[in-house]
Each structure stands twice: as C-alpha cells, then as structure tokens.
C-alpha cells in the first residue's frame, strides 16, 4: 500500500469534525497526540465519541436546541481536565440537559429524585440513543450522577453559591450560575418590596369608593357591566396591598378589573399621571389600551374623577419602553437607584414575562409603589427562563396558608401580597354554541379530562370534538379534528387558503392596491379607513404550530402558503420573497421604528408621490395610524406569519384558529400549549393531526423547575428584605 493510500485510509478512520463541537475535537486531538496518555482514547473510542455527539445534535432538535447548544456544552466540557471518554460525554450531556431545561424555561434542574421525581432519566433517554448504548453508556443519567458524586473538584461546576463557574451544583439542583443569581436577586427585591407592609385605606372609605364606582358602571355590548364578587375582591386588593396578583383565563374580565381599578385609585387620591400601564409585547399593550379607551369612554354619568382619568390616563407600553431600555448599553435607564416615577404599575400578560425582565421591573419599582401583575397561570409560561407569575402565586398562597402543609408565616399581621383567581368566563357568548364548545374544550384540556364527547363536570357545557375525514368537511365551528392520515397537510392548507386567507373580492382588491404615503411615511386617514377591512380580515384567523421547525412547523407552513399566494398572483414563489397582502410579524424590538417583537402587519404597495415608483412596505397599525417601512430595510426583522408558533400567539385573539400538531410526540407538546392555542379562538379551532397526540399532550403538564418561590418565602420567614443593586 502506498504512503498516499495509507494516509487516505488513516484520514478516513479518524473521526470527522463535528460542526458546532470544535472544542471536543481539540480535546480528542490532544488525547491522541499524547497530552494525557492515561486517558487517551483509542481511534475506535474517538469514533464512538464523535458518533455520540452527532446523535446528541440530532436529538437536541426535539428540545428546540440548535447544534450550537451541543457546541457550547462541548466547549465547557473541554475545559475540564482528567476525564475519560465516558465522563466527558456525561459532562457534555449534562450541559445539554441544563440548556434544554433553560430553553424550556426552568431556572434549575433536579439531578436526583428528592427534588423532581425522575426528571433526569427521561430527558437523558430522549437525548441519548443507540450511539450512546454502543459506546457503553446505556445509563447516561447514572453516569452523570456518578460524575457529580465522585468528582467534587470539577472546575466547570461549582458547589458553592458564590463559585464563579458556568454551572452550579447546589444539591439536588444544577443551575446556570448567571440564572441562579438573577433569581436570587429578584427574590431579594420582592422581599424588600413586600417588607414595606400593607397600605392604609380604611375599610369604610374603600367601600364607599367602590359603591360610587359601581353606581356609574361602564357600558359594554350587553349593557352596564357589573362586577362579580371575585372581581370586586381583586379591585379592593389593589387599594391595600403592595403587590396584587390577578390570574384568570381569557374572557374572565381582567381588563374590566383594570378599568375599575383605575377609577377606584383616582378616587382615593392617586394621580393618573403616576400610574404606569405595561405589557411584555407591543400587541398586548395595544390591546390593553384599546380596551381601556373603550371602557373608560362609556362610563355612565361620569364624575370629575372619571373625566380626568379619561383625559390623563397613560398609554400602555411595552415593559422595555417603560423601563427605557438602551440597546447600545444593554441596560434599563430605570433601576433601584433611579426608580420609575410611578406610584402604581400595572402589567398585563405577566405569564409571558421571564426572569430577567421581571428582575428589571422589580428593581425599578419604588419602595412605596403598588405593583399589579395580571395574567393567566394556565397559559404557556415565558419563552425564556423563569416561572415568575406561577411562583408569585405560590408565594401568595403560602402566605395566606392555602398551600398544603403551609402555615401563615405572618401570624396575625396583614399579608402584603394578594393573589386573586378569576374563574368565570365573560368573553364567550354562552348563547353561541360554537364559542361555547371552544371554551368547554379548553377548560377540559386544562383540567386534564379525557378528550371525548362527554358532559363537562360541574357545567352544562358539552365537550364536543367533531372528527372530520377530509378538509372538505370542515365547518369552522366549535372544535374539529382533522387527521393528517386521512388527508395530507397540503390539502388542508389549500382549503384554509381559500377559506381564511384569500378573503372576499373587496379584501383581494385592497391587497392589490397602491397606497399613497404622507410626508411622515404614514398612510393618510382616508387610506387608513379604506384599509380597515383588510386589517380586520388579517386578524380574523391564524394557523398555530407547536414549533418553527420540522415538516409541520411554522416555517414550512408559511413557505407553502406563500407559494399558494404566489401562484394565485401568477408569480414564481422563488422570485418573490414578499407579496402584497401577505401577513408579516416583527421578530425583534426596534425602538427607533417603534416596532416590537410579535407586532403583526401587512405587506402593501406604497408610493410617496403620484409620479414615484411604488415599492413594497411593511405596514403596521399604531392605534388609528398606519405606518409604513420599506421592506428592504426590514428583511431580517420581519417574517411571514400565515402561521406562527403558539408561543408567539400569546396575547392575540382570532375568530378562527388551526393548530397543526407535529408528526410525532415532542416534549414541548403539553397541556399548556393546547390550552393556549385553544384560548386564542373566539369561534372555532381546527386541530390538525393525530388524536392520540392530543390525549398525550393533555396528560403532560409543563415541568418548569424554578426556585423563586423557595427563595422568597425563605427570606420573608427570616425577615430579610435586602435590596438588590
């Protein structure tokens, strides 16, 4: 054999470089070069090592992790000396598990059964398959536990809260060091806020104020709006508590509570200019403002407080804008040493707020301010780490002695945190069978009930799942199930495009028109009025997906529907990235343009003067104003949104929703995801996929491991209340 042939054979025997794992490769090379002969792997062991990493990359996709996650875990593991191949793989898998947990929103992850049941074993088994078994690592979770117990001196995993290492093992939990300290800091700040005690508003005065507000009700579509006892309790709590948490599903009257709350605060002397209203997304902030404008503008026989409030009420804004986030500096202008000039801060859709953003908000609240947090604890939690809303509800239950085995740590003292649960649904017209069916089905999923045509316990509602054999049978009423086995995805999308996307002749004409811009690059009021039916049509329906990726993810669905639109327009889809009339969504917060992550708009043809050439623009709605931005300047900042992930749909409402399920079961397919998707719809939901996946998801609740409640309750028991900086 020639030397060239030998060299070629040797090169082919060596493990291939893994994209995203150069550090692991460097480590293997150093081992083979004799840097540490006592642990140097054989070529076969090195091949097995690389095969395991390739398998880890492939399987990590099911946890919405990219290959870069395996790269990062490998980089960290490469810093640890003196490990054999099995130990190094165990360390890499532990790193990937910690990233998967973080990606699923956990701020910590239990390594042994004393903290989280058997959390480690199923996720380890899902990440590590045949290649690990072939490498002698059939029990990778056992190898991880053994590594942590036998190697107390790991340089990349600290065992002290003050250790400056990428990971912390504070038995029984593994933490990311940064996330641990963010959670601890947030607990300290909330402890400081709550240590200020309750606010003094006499019971007779509060009762008189509430009676005056209720004598002048706001007027809704069904007439004067009356508050239920649970809604009155929520409004009253705001008057006397530092922190009030209001949790309720869609349609439980949360916005009505906010309007009543503002009117109550005005009557007890809170200046409207000292009230801040916010939400995590621009869409949620806009909806909050729109609803408050409607409610406060319909007060029966308004007095001077109501008139003043209507004129001076602050406009809701995103939390980033409220806190004056600076992208260039990467920090907020408002913080503990420069607090918000607000005596009341009201935040909606708090279930979407992650650990870091809540930390920024809590740090900016002045010590004598009221904080009102509103959301739905049953919805999907924040995309990023933390379960802040859920944890604060748990703290409230603990302080009130409502959680199992807890005691009232405050003795006879008033509790400075109020937690109110809203249960009655006002949104769905109970006379409309379609809306009633959607609401009943969502409640059944949330309760973990079997998905059957059965009567829901405790109500008169029927849980009806209409099974359709083909897209042609869809009626867009109530909850329908279309099995992909009976008809492929493309056939369903053809039907959806014809029924829900194209619209009537007026809508199609509006999408094709060319619109004139004003000098400020906005559309004139007449043009905006003309376009209103098109924007209404845009918000009437949406396809939701569990993931962005895979064959049933939002990226592929958007590509298919874009091709349909291109074909309808007589244009090749590959030559047209955007078409007039297509829905789009902002991907990032853009403070210069006033665009925020999740904002939805349309692609339209516009021109600045009659003689100018028309160009494609992204047009977004700002109240009654339509602003246009040249698409060429936004190519990486927006994407098509015929379909969007369920996470992205939070804070939105549509008449008709389709939820496309993945082909196979995924860890992220949970009860919360189904519930969130179902509660986006007013009239109908089409579930596209296998019925067994729905049953599986309904049984699986999100396991989000976090320590905020433990930290906060512990601090309050000890009477701490340190202020974080």
């Amino acid at each position: 054999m020639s030397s060239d042939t030998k060299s070629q054979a040797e090169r082919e025997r060596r493990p291939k470089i893994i994209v995203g794992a150069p550090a692991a490769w460097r480590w293997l090379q150093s081992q083979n070069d004799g840097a540490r002969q006592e642990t140097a792997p054989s070529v076969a062991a090195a091949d097995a090592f690389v095969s395991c990493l390739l398998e880890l990359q492939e399987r990590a996709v099911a946890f919405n992790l990219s290959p870069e996650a395996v790269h990062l875990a490998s980089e960290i593991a490469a810093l640890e000396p003196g490990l054999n191949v099995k130990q190094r793989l165990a360390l890499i898998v532990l790193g990937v598990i910690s990233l998967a947990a973080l990606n699923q929103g956990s701020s910590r992850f239990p390594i042994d059964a004393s903290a989280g049941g058997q959390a480690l074993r199923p996720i380890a088994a899902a990440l590590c398959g045949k290649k690990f078994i072939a490498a002698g690592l059939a029990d990778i979770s056992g190898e991880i536990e053994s590594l942590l117990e036998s190697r107390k001196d790991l340089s990349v995993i600290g065992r002290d809260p003050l250790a400056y290492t990428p990971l912390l093992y504070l038995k029984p939990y593994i933490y990311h060091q940064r996330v641990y300290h963010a959670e601890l800091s947030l607990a300290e700040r909330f402890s400081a806020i709550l240590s200020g005690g309750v606010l003094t508003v006499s019971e007779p005065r509060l009762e008189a104020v509430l009676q005056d507000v209720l004598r002048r009700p706001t007027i809704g579509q069904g007439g004067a709006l009356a508050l239920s006892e649970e809604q009155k309790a929520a409004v009253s709590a705001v008057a006397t508590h530092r922190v009030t948490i209001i949790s309720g599903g869609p349609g439980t009257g949360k916005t009505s509570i906010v309007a009543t709350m503002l009117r109550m605060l005005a009557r007890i002397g809170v200046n409207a200019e000292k009230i801040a209203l916010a939400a995590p997304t621009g869409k949620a902030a806009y909806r909050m403002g729109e609803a408050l404008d409607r409610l406060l503008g319909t007060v029966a026989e308004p007095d001077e407080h109501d008139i003043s409030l209507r004129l001076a009420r602050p406009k809701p804004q995103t939390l980033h804008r409220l806190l004056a986030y600076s992208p260039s500096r990467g920090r907020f202008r408002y913080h503990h040493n420069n607090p918000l000039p607000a005596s009341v801060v009201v935040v909606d859709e708090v279930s979407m707020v992650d650990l870091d953003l809540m930390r920024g908000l809590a740090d900016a609240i002045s010590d004598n301010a009221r904080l009102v947090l509103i959301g739905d604890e049953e919805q999907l939690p924040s995309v990023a780490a933390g379960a802040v809303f859920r944890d604060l509800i748990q703290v409230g239950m603990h302080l009130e002695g409502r959680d199992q085995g807890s005691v009232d740590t405050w003795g006879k003292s008033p509790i400075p945190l109020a937690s109110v649960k809203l249960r009655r649904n006002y949104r769905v017209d109970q006379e409309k069978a379609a809306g009633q069916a959607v609401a009943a089905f969502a409640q059944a999923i949330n309760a973990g009930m079997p998905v059957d045509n059965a009567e829901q316990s405790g109500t008169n509602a029927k849980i009806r799942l209409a099974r359709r054999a083909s897209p042609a049978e869809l009626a867009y009423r109530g909850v329908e199930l279309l099995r992909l086995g009976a008809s492929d995805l493309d056939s369903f999308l053809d039907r959806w495009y014809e029924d829900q996307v194209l619209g009537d002749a007026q809508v199609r004409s509006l999408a094709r028109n060319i619109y004139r811009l004003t000098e400020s690059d906005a559309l004139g009021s007449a043009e905006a009025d003309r376009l209103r039916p098109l924007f209404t049509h845009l918000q009437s329906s949406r396809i939701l997906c569990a993931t962005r990726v895979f064959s049933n993810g939002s990226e592929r669905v958007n590509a298919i529907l874009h091709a349909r639109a291109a074909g309808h327009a007589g244009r090749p889809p590959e030559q047209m990235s955007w078409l007039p009339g297509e829905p789009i969504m902002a991907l990032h917060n853009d403070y210069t343009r006033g665009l925020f992550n999740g904002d939805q708009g349309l692609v339209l043809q516009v021109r600045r003067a009659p003689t100018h050439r028309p160009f494609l623009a992204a047009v977004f709605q700002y109240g009654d104003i339509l602003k246009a931005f040249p698409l060429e300047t936004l190519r990486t900042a927006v994407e098509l949104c015929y379909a969007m992930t369920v996470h992205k749909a939070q804070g939105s409402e549509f008449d008709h929703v389709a939820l496309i399920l993945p082909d196979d079961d995924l860890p992220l397919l949970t009860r919360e995801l189904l519930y969130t998707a179902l509660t986006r719809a007013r009239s109908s939901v089409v579930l596209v996929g296998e019925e067994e996946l729905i049953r599986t998801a309904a049984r699986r609740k999100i396991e989000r491991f976090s320590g905020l409640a433990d930290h906060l309750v512990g601090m309050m028991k000890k009477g701490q209340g340190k202020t974080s900086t």
Side-chain angles (χ1 to χ4, degrees):
M1 183 181 290
S2 68
S3 60
D4 288 345
T5 304
K6 287 182 179 179
S7 298
Q8 177 66 24
E10 179 63 25
R11 284 195 296 271
E12 290 178 352
R13 289 180 62 199
R14 288 187 177 186
K16 298 177 181 178
I17 297 177
I18 301 172
V19 176
W25 175 257
R26 290 197 303 272
W27 173 77
L28 279 171
Q29 290 291 76
S30 71
Q31 302 294 59
N32 285 328
D33 292 342
R36 293 186 181 87
Q37 290 297 332
E38 73 278 9
T39 57
S42 65
V43 172
D47 281 336
F49 181 90
V50 173
S51 295
C52 287
L53 290 189
L54 286 170
E55 182 178 62
L56 193 57
Q57 286 184 166
E58 292 172 359
R59 288 175 168 245
V61 175
F63 293 87
N64 271 350
L65 292 177
S66 66
E68 285 74 17
V70 179
H71 161 70
L72 177 59
S74 301
E75 288 279 342
I76 293 172
L79 300 174
E80 190 66 55
L83 300 181
N84 60 37
V85 171
K86 288 185 177 181
Q87 290 173 325
R88 195 163 301 278
L89 277 171
L91 183 56
I92 292 172
V93 172
L94 177 61
V96 173
I97 287 173
S98 75
L99 291 169
L102 193 66
N103 195 52
Q104 290 180 327
S106 293
S107 59
R108 62 185 185 182
F109 188 80
I111 296 300
D112 62 44
S114 65
Q118 294 294 328
L120 176 62
R121 294 189 177 276
I123 191 172
L127 286 168
C128 307
K130 295 179 180 178
K131 301 297 184 182
F132 281 81
I133 295 173
L137 283 165
D139 183 18
I140 189 68
S141 55
E143 194 71 35
I144 291 171
E145 292 168 350
S146 175
L147 175 67
L148 291 173
E149 291 303 317
S150 63
R151 292 292 301 265
K152 307 289 186 181
D153 59 341
L154 292 170
S155 60
V156 297
I157 301 179
R159 295 173 184 269
D160 184 286
L162 298 179
Y164 196 69
T165 54
L167 298 174
L168 297 175
Y169 181 47
L170 305 179
K171 195 171 181 177
Y173 296 103
I174 196 81
Y175 293 85
H176 284 246
Q177 190 261 4
R178 180 193 66 81
V179 176
Y180 172 81
H181 286 284
E183 193 169 68
L184 187 65
S185 174
L186 178 58
E188 289 176 344
R189 185 65 195 124
F190 263 110
S191 181
I193 293 171
L194 294 173
S195 66
V198 296
L199 300 161
T200 55
V201 178
S202 70
E203 189 171 333
R205 184 185 178 201
L206 179 57
E207 181 63 26
V209 164
L210 282 176
Q211 288 302 319
D212 182 62
V213 170
L214 296 176
R215 278 196 301 269
R216 310 167 191 270
T218 55
I219 309 299
Q221 293 181 349
L225 299 179
L227 295 187
S228 66
E229 290 304 314
E230 61 186 14
Q231 290 175 317
K232 291 178 187 176
V235 173
S236 299
V238 174
T240 56
H241 291 77
R242 291 287 179 191
V243 178
T244 303
I245 302 171
I246 302 171
S247 175
T252 51
K254 297 190 292 290
T255 308
S256 298
I257 287 175
V258 175
T260 306
M261 176 199 315
L262 296 180
R263 298 176 63 204
M264 178 269 296
L265 290 171
R267 285 164 168 78
I268 64 172
V270 177
N271 191 322
E273 296 178 355
K274 291 290 187 178
I275 299 173
L277 305 174
T281 66
K283 179 69 176 176
Y286 171 74
R287 283 184 52 216
M288 183 186 189
E290 188 178 44
L292 287 176
D293 282 341
R294 182 178 66 254
L295 289 170
L296 295 177
T298 62
V299 175
E301 300 180 9
D303 67 1
E304 67 275 12
H305 299 293
D306 297 317
I307 295 171
S308 175
L309 180 63
R310 189 171 61 194
L311 295 174
R313 178 187 64 77
K315 296 294 183 183
Q317 53 191 319
T318 65
L319 280 168
H320 280 82
R321 185 171 288 280
L322 173 69
L323 301 174
Y325 180 73
S326 169
S328 60
R329 300 176 65 189
R331 58 175 297 180
F332 299 113
R333 179 157 63 90
Y334 291 108
H335 45 76
H336 188 62
N337 294 320
N338 181 37
L340 285 165
S343 56
V344 179
V345 178
V346 182
V347 186
D348 196 13
E349 298 286 359
V350 180
S351 63
M352 300 169 64
V353 179
D354 60 43
L355 179 63
D356 284 333
L357 186 53
M358 183 59 77
R359 181 187 177 196
L361 173 64
D363 197 43
I365 299 293
S366 64
D367 291 338
N368 60 352
R370 293 176 174 90
L371 177 61
V372 183
L373 303 176
I374 305 170
D376 183 357
E377 63 179 308
E378 309 297 348
Q379 279 192 41
L380 284 170
S382 59
V383 175
V388 178
F389 193 61
R390 182 201 69 186
D391 283 358
L392 290 175
I393 290 173
Q394 289 180 356
V395 172
M397 293 175 65
H398 180 93
L399 296 180
E400 295 172 5
R402 284 192 282 144
D403 60 338
Q404 187 175 6
S406 74
V407 295
D408 185 355
T409 58
W410 290 83
K412 294 183 179 179
S413 301
I415 299 170
L417 183 149
S419 178
V420 181
K421 174 74 173 178
L422 306 175
R423 292 176 173 82
R424 181 178 174 186
N425 190 319
Y426 297 88
R427 173 190 294 172
V428 177
D429 185 345
Q430 297 301 313
E431 298 301 319
K432 294 181 179 178
Q436 184 184 21
V438 173
F441 195 84
Q443 291 163 14
I445 290 292
N446 189 43
M449 294 179 63
V451 182
D452 289 308
N453 292 345
E455 189 167 313
Q456 184 177 351
S457 176
T459 75
N460 294 321
K462 295 285 187 179
I463 305 169
R464 299 200 180 279
L465 178 61
R467 294 163 177 85
R468 308 302 188 196
S470 71
E473 296 180 12
L474 293 174
Y476 303 115
R477 287 181 57 81
V479 184
E480 301 173 282
L481 172 68
L482 175 66
R483 290 186 57 197
L484 280 179
S487 176
D488 63 17
L489 180 62
D490 284 21
S491 297
F492 164 71
L493 293 177
D494 284 340
R495 174 77 195 274
W496 181 269
Y497 184 80
E498 292 291 331
D499 294 343
Q500 304 294 342
V501 177
L502 270 181
D504 58 22
Q506 180 192 19
V507 165
R508 295 195 295 272
S509 174
L510 289 171
R512 292 192 299 265
N513 286 346
I514 299 173
Y515 298 91
R516 173 79 181 274
L517 298 180
T518 65
E519 293 182 0
S520 61
D521 274 356
L523 278 75
S525 58
E527 298 278 63
D529 287 341
R530 192 154 62 103
L531 274 166
R532 189 163 286 113
L534 183 57
F535 275 87
T536 300
H537 176 69
L538 166 69
Q539 292 301 327
S540 66
S541 63
R542 189 71 80 247
I543 292 177
L544 307 183
C545 301
T547 69
R548 292 177 58 88
V549 296
F550 301 127
S551 59
N552 293 352
S554 60
E555 290 179 353
R556 180 169 181 262
V557 172
N558 278 321
I560 292 173
L561 290 176
H562 172 67
R564 299 289 189 280
H568 194 269
R571 301 180 182 183
E574 63 275 7
Q575 294 181 10
M576 295 296 298
S577 300
W578 313 94
L579 295 164
E582 290 196 297
I584 53 175
M585 178 171 60
L587 298 175
H588 314 289
N589 291 334
D590 185 334
Y591 297 93
T592 302
R593 294 183 175 92
L595 284 177
F596 298 96
N597 186 8
D599 284 356
Q600 296 167 43
L602 282 170
V603 176
L604 292 173
Q605 295 183 92
V606 300
R607 70 173 96 205
R608 292 192 169 92
T611 57
H612 289 187
R613 172 180 287 182
F615 60 91
L616 289 179
V619 179
F620 291 88
Q621 195 166 9
Y622 295 75
D624 295 329
I625 300 173
L626 296 179
K627 289 187 180 180
F629 306 97
L631 263 178
E632 286 298 326
T633 67
L634 289 176
R635 284 198 171 271
T636 61
V638 297
E639 68 178 3
L640 289 172
C641 75
Y642 292 107
M644 59 203 300
T645 64
V646 178
H647 263 295
K648 286 284 190 180
Q650 286 182 270
S652 297
E653 295 178 14
F654 309 100
D655 290 329
H656 306 287
V657 164
L659 173 62
I660 299 180
L661 300 170
D663 287 328
D664 302 306
D665 185 25
L666 297 175
L668 54 77
L669 197 58
T670 63
R671 181 184 303 176
E672 290 84 355
L673 182 137
L674 289 181
Y675 173 81
T676 302
L678 288 161
T679 53
R680 300 309 91 207
R682 300 185 190 94
S683 298
S684 79
V685 176
V686 180
L687 300 171
V688 184
E690 291 297 326
E691 185 171 341
E692 186 54 37
L693 281 181
I694 301 172
R695 297 177 186 277
T696 300
R699 291 191 295 265
R700 178 191 292 141
K701 281 188 67 67
I702 286 178
E703 277 196 294
R704 184 166 280 204
F705 302 99
S706 59
L708 177 62
D710 290 345
H711 289 315
L712 184 50
V713 169
M715 289 174 186
M716 297 182 72
K717 281 183 177 179
K718 295 176 182 177
Q720 292 179 341
K722 297 179 291 183
T723 302
S724 60
T725 59

